[in-house]
Amino acid sequence: MANPVQFISQVRAEVGKISWPTRREVITTTVMVFVMATLASIFFFLVDLAIKSGLSGILHLVG
């Protein structure tokens, strides 16, 4: 078991090594996440629509 003071010292040293993103990087990646989520939702909507239309067409022909 490590000494609590030594542990806190090591934690501070590790936190100092972290490379924090800049504001510009955070905004850019956030916008990219929203763009990709929108594109994915449009893609899955279109796939769902195609499957629904295909199945409706098949069921209309059969029944």
Side-chain angles (χ1 to χ4, degrees), residues 5-62:
V5 175
Q6 183 183 9
F7 174 74
I8 292 172
S9 173
Q10 290 174 351
V11 168
R12 286 185 184 221
E14 289 297 320
V15 169
K17 294 178 186 178
I18 296 173
S19 173
W20 297 101
T22 62
R23 177 182 285 278
R24 182 181 176 102
E25 290 172 334
V26 171
I27 291 171
T28 301
T29 53
T30 302
V31 169
M32 289 306 298
V33 166
F34 281 118
V35 167
M36 294 305 293
T38 302
L39 290 175
S41 65
I42 291 170
F43 171 76
F44 286 115
F45 171 75
L46 293 174
V47 169
D48 182 54
L49 185 64
I51 291 171
K52 177 184 159 191
S53 298
L55 287 175
S56 293
I58 292 170
L59 291 175
H60 182 66
L61 289 174
V62 173

